[in-house]
Structure formats: structure tokens, C-alpha cells
Amino acid sequence: MSTQRQADLIDLAGRVLMQNYRQPPIVMARGQGVELFDVAGRRYLDMTAGIAVCALGHAHPALAEAIAQQARTLVHTSNLYFIEQQILLAEDLARISFADRVFFCNSGAEANEAALKLARRYHRVVRGEPRDVVVSTDGSFHGRSFATVSITGQGKYREGFGPLVGPVRFVPFDDLDAAERALAPRDACAMIVEPIQAEGGIHVPSSGYLAGLRELCDRTGTLLVFDEVQTGIGRTGRWFGYEHDGVAPDVMTLAKALGGGVPIGACAATEAAAQGLAFREGGPVPHASTFGGNPLACAAARAVLRTIEDDGLLAHAAAAGDVLGAGLAELVAAYPGLCVDARGRGLLRGIALARGAADVVARCRDRGLLVSVAGGTVVRFAPALIVDRAHIDEALAILRAVLDEVADAR
Ligand code: PLP
């Protein structure tokens, strides 16, 4: 490990990688718990967990062992045959959620693609009532594939990629009247919403919003899809974000934390909605994925779920999230001109600034704290569910020092 090695790698990256990402000059070499170490040997306190992915932190022994054991046994067969780990993972997800059936894929975008295809085909083939429109919310984020970027309610992600997939009807988030108007024509196959808008800036809707959507979708015969890609698998202190509102969707999408860092996505549905992706006797396979639900990814996901359960990480995430949330609220009070709001739930938290957050995020990184930007002006915290009080105190102290610095510079 050396500074020269890191500089050489970054130089090489500049020549061989597509230039779609905008990255700081850091190459990560290894991780341990909530710490990351770069190739030059520098330590970082990781409050991003790979964008809400590494639920168990880095190099967790239970996850490492499950991956190693499965790698020695069977990595991949494709879905030409049943896969033991996939069947058992589906059983686990059905046990901890509203869902009866699960389709596995490899990412959040793919999970949402599956949900969209399910919704269209459910209406067209199962109900015999073609409905094409998807209702989505302003400020949402659902992925980067053509269909998911088309239903993402932030224009900047769609720029330069038209023509997009439609028809899509966008409504303001947390606005039941607008949702009612959008669903009234009864031409929507699905309404898709994040229980907390994450990439859009950590927006928690009013209590009753999700229940209101449930009622509207029931009334209009629309499938309700909760995109739990970021909020799922313990992030909010419960298994799924929808649990806080006491409602369940027809379809839920998962990815990110499900594999603890091993790529896996899932589209989970009620028995009725799942008919949207069921094959018909003599017909073609309606949807599929070569890698989806492969033995390695599913063994990893089962280890993640088992560890969250065995180690009581849901309650831990809720309690740690309260500590983090209180600390962020204190900072908002301490820097009234600079910070405007502290929000979130469990370990999905944000502090909204009165200016762009990129500079604060960069200064935190310079001081060894990794956080990320959400919605342009929000500093996002999405640490591993194992984060403890000492880590949170350290992160808050660094953020306070940065806010001091930024406030002085004004
Ligand atoms: N949905 C939500 C709510 C997300 O936050 C993200 C990614 O940030 C996605 C979908 C897309 O997931 P992926 O990047 O795995 O395709």
C-alpha cells in the first residue's frame, strides 16, 4: 500500500474507465466494520456503507463465511434449474414481509424493471384490462435503466437520454389530493413510491400518506409498488419502511442491503399481483435473468437476514438512528443560517443545508469522514446497521468541525 500506488491507479483509471463517475482521488483497499482504508493506508469512518448497502459493515465474518462456503459449493447454475439458496431466501423474505412470492435479479433498477413489467402484464394479461400509465412522484429515484430513469422524478437523470419509456404521470410527493387526481382516470397499472425519498433528499412523508395511497390504489384497481431499494432490510429500524405506516403494498422492490454488498435485487409481491409475471401453459417465459438469484448472492443475502435477526440489528438501528438524529438536530440548532433541517428515520438520515452539500461532504472526507450528498443540499448518513455510539459521536464531531469551518468562511 502506498501513496504512489494510489496515484498510479487513479492515473490509469483516467485512461481506461468510462468517464461517467465523478470521484475523489481515493482508491479503497479494504474495510473493517465501519472503517475503510485506502491504498495509501489512510483510515476513513464510513457513514455511507456503499450507499446504504453494507448493512453488516465491511468484512463481517458471518457474511464472509457464507460467501466462502457457497463459493466452495456452487456459485452459479442459471435459472434453468431450481436453486436451493434462492428458494430458501424467498421463504425468508415471505416470512418477514407481506409478500407471497419473489423474483430475484441483480440490482435496484432491475427490481423496479421487474415490478413495472409485472404491473403492465398483470393488467393486460391477467385482468384483461390494458393500463399503460405509471404514476410516480416528483423528486423520486428508481434507477438508471431506460424504464426506471423514465419514472424517476428528477429531470437531471433523464437529460440526453430521450425518447424515454412512457406514459408516466408525475405527482408531488406526500400529496394525496394530487395522487387521487392522477389515479382517477383508472388508466394506471401502478403507482410507485419510495417510503422515504432517499436520493431526492431524505424526505419522510407525513404519517398516513402511504395508507392514503393504499386506499386510492384499492379504489382505482391500481397496483401499489413500494420501492424499498434504499429503505428496506433494516435501514429505518424495521425490516421495511412501509411497516412504520401500518400498510403493505402489492409489490415491493429490494436490492442494496439485501446482499450486504453482494449484488442482488428482488421484486416481491402478493399472490394476486405475482400472477403478472407467471408463465402461462404453452406460453413464453415472461421475465428472466441469467444471474438473478444465483446461489452465491442468495447465500450472502440469507446470511445478512440471519445476522440482522440473530444480532438484534433492527432494534439497534432504531436506537442508533435516534442518537444520530438527535445529534444532527443539535447541529441544526447550533448553525441556524447554515443548516435548515435534520430528517430521516432509523439509520437513513440527512442534514439539509441552506446551500449545496458537496463542499461539506468533501471537507468531511478530508477529515476522514465519509458521507454523501442527497438531493443536492442534503448531507446523507446511511451507515452500517452495526454502527455504535462511539462512531456516531466521532462522525458528529467531524461534521461540527466542518460546519464551524464553513460558517467562519462566510
Ligand atoms: N431505487 C431506489 C430508491 C434507489 O435509491 C436506488 C439507488 O440508489 C435504485 C432504485 C437503483 O438501484 P441500483 O443502483 O442498484 O440499480
Side-chain angles (χ1 to χ4, degrees):
M1 294 211 289
S2 76
T3 309
Q4 187 55 51
R5 174 79 182 140
Q6 181 154 273
D8 290 347
L9 283 168
I10 290 162
D11 182 57
L12 180 59
R15 285 181 278 121
V16 297
L17 293 180
M18 286 226 189
Q19 294 171 306
N20 54 318
Y21 295 112
R22 208 181 297 118
Q23 293 151 313
I26 298 169
V27 184
M28 292 303 178
R30 66 184 183 88
Q32 188 61 55
V34 295
E35 295 177 319
L36 279 171
F37 299 86
D38 71 14
V39 168
R42 175 150 195 221
R43 172 217 184 242
Y44 298 87
L45 175 60
D46 181 14
M47 289 282 153
T48 67
I51 321 185
V53 166
C54 308
L56 305 183
H58 302 288
H60 192 288
L63 181 56
E65 179 51 32
I67 294 170
Q69 195 184 324
Q70 191 59 46
R72 285 192 295 266
T73 309
L74 185 67
V75 170
H76 181 81
T77 58
S78 87
N79 290 291
L80 286 173
Y81 318 101
F82 283 110
I83 296 169
E84 180 179 4
Q85 294 297 329
Q86 184 185 124
I87 298 166
L88 297 176
L89 176 59
E91 183 187 37
D92 289 343
L93 288 173
R95 178 173 53 79
I96 62 173
S97 78
F98 72 95
D100 298 308
R101 296 185 182 276
V102 189
F103 166 80
F104 291 102
C105 50
N106 313 288
S107 68
E110 279 181 64
N112 284 331
E113 285 277 346
L116 295 174
K117 287 181 73 178
L118 177 154
R120 279 264 179 90
R121 192 168 174 276
Y122 171 80
H123 285 281
R124 201 168 277 272
V125 175
V126 180
R127 300 267 305 259
E129 179 197 357
R131 286 179 173 215
D132 294 339
V133 174
V134 175
V135 177
S136 182
T137 58
D138 292 334
S140 61
F141 184 82
H142 297 295
R144 303 278 197 159
S145 67
F146 261 117
T148 58
V149 89
S150 302
I151 60 159
T152 285
Q154 301 184 64
K156 64 180 178 187
Y157 295 110
R158 302 197 292 263
E159 255 170 47
F161 292 115
L164 298 170
V165 179
V168 187
R169 201 170 288 146
F170 288 106
V171 293
F173 184 65
D174 200 17
D175 182 339
L176 281 176
D177 290 339
E180 183 168 18
R181 282 192 298 277
L183 294 168
R186 296 175 190 252
D187 58 358
C189 58
M191 159 113 207
I192 184 165
V193 69
E194 296 159 84
I196 297 175
Q197 277 193 346
E199 294 302 308
I202 321 293
H203 296 290
V204 183
S206 318
S207 120
Y209 176 61
L210 298 182
L213 292 182
R214 176 71 277 173
E215 202 269 316
L216 290 173
C217 284
D218 285 344
R219 202 194 310 157
T220 56
T222 313
L223 290 180
L224 180 59
V225 181
F226 287 160
D227 179 341
E228 294 259 10
V229 167
Q230 193 145 164
T231 49
I233 316 296
R235 174 67 31 210
T236 66
R238 307 247 178 111
W239 278 119
F240 306 105
Y242 68 77
E243 294 176 46
H244 296 274
D245 291 76
V247 287
D250 300 294
V251 180
M252 159 175 83
T253 53
L254 297 170
K256 287 196 182 278
L258 179 57
V262 176
I264 181 168
C267 173
T270 60
E271 179 67 39
Q275 297 315 305
L277 285 188
F279 68 79
R280 310 196 126 196
E281 235 16 83
V285 170
H287 194 52
S289 162
T290 297
F291 289 123
N294 94 357
L296 188 74
C298 291
R302 291 187 67 219
V304 169
L305 300 184
R306 204 163 44 236
T307 305
I308 290 175
E309 240 164 12
D310 292 352
D311 294 359
L313 291 181
L314 296 180
H316 178 80
D322 286 346
V323 172
L324 177 57
L328 294 176
E330 268 176 37
L331 291 178
V332 172
Y335 299 90
L338 187 54
C339 304
V340 294
D341 194 17
R343 53 194 188 226
R345 187 173 267 158
L347 286 172
L348 183 57
R349 297 274 168 180
I351 186 164
L353 308 179
R355 48 186 267 171
D359 172 47
V360 167
V361 166
R363 287 171 189 256
C364 285
R365 194 172 56 240
D366 289 345
R367 290 172 180 262
L369 169 65
L370 301 177
V371 283
S372 62
V373 180
T377 56
V378 178
V379 179
R380 169 180 35 190
F381 287 72
L385 307 187
I386 58 162
V387 70
D388 67 23
R389 178 87 200 223
H391 302 130
I392 292 171
D393 288 346
E394 183 187 348
L396 290 169
I398 294 175
L399 179 57
R400 181 181 282 274
V402 167
L403 293 174
D404 260 343
E405 194 175 277
V406 172
D408 280 351
R410 286 186 343 148

